[in-house]
Amino acid sequence: MARSKEEFKNKVEEWAEKLDIQVHSVAVRPMSNKWASCSTNGNLNFNTELLDLEDDLGDYVIVHELLHFFVPNHGKLWKSLMRAHLGDYESLDARLKQVVASS
């Protein structure tokens, strides 16, 4: 069952609080070629397609973007933070890529 935009935004706020990240705004809108984006001034955009995915995949994208406020790349530090918060995040990434491949 799909999440509502409000439920998704609440989840973003929960993760931001857990990670101690100040978020300025959260938008859920159609995006043509990516799952999410963030700006240096705390604005987050998430693809509406995430509302139809399993919750753990949505959480993966949420944490992925929020951690970019600490680490702007996908280097060792970012990977270790992803693992600390989501465990085997690589399997979530692989599942997300399968969603893209099958659409």
Side-chain angles (χ1 to χ4, degrees), residues 36-81:
S37 65
C38 62
S39 69
T40 53
N41 57 356
N43 297 320
L44 289 159
N45 293 295
F46 293 95
N47 192 325
T48 52
E49 292 178 32
L50 288 168
L51 301 176
D52 296 324
L53 299 183
E54 294 171 52
D55 289 355
D56 61 344
L57 292 178
D59 286 358
Y60 164 76
V61 176
I62 291 168
V63 174
H64 180 132
E65 286 306 310
L66 287 171
L67 288 179
H68 281 314
F69 288 113
F70 291 131
V71 184
N73 55 47
H74 298 118
K76 285 182 182 177
L77 177 57
W78 181 86
K79 289 175 182 176
S80 66
L81 289 169

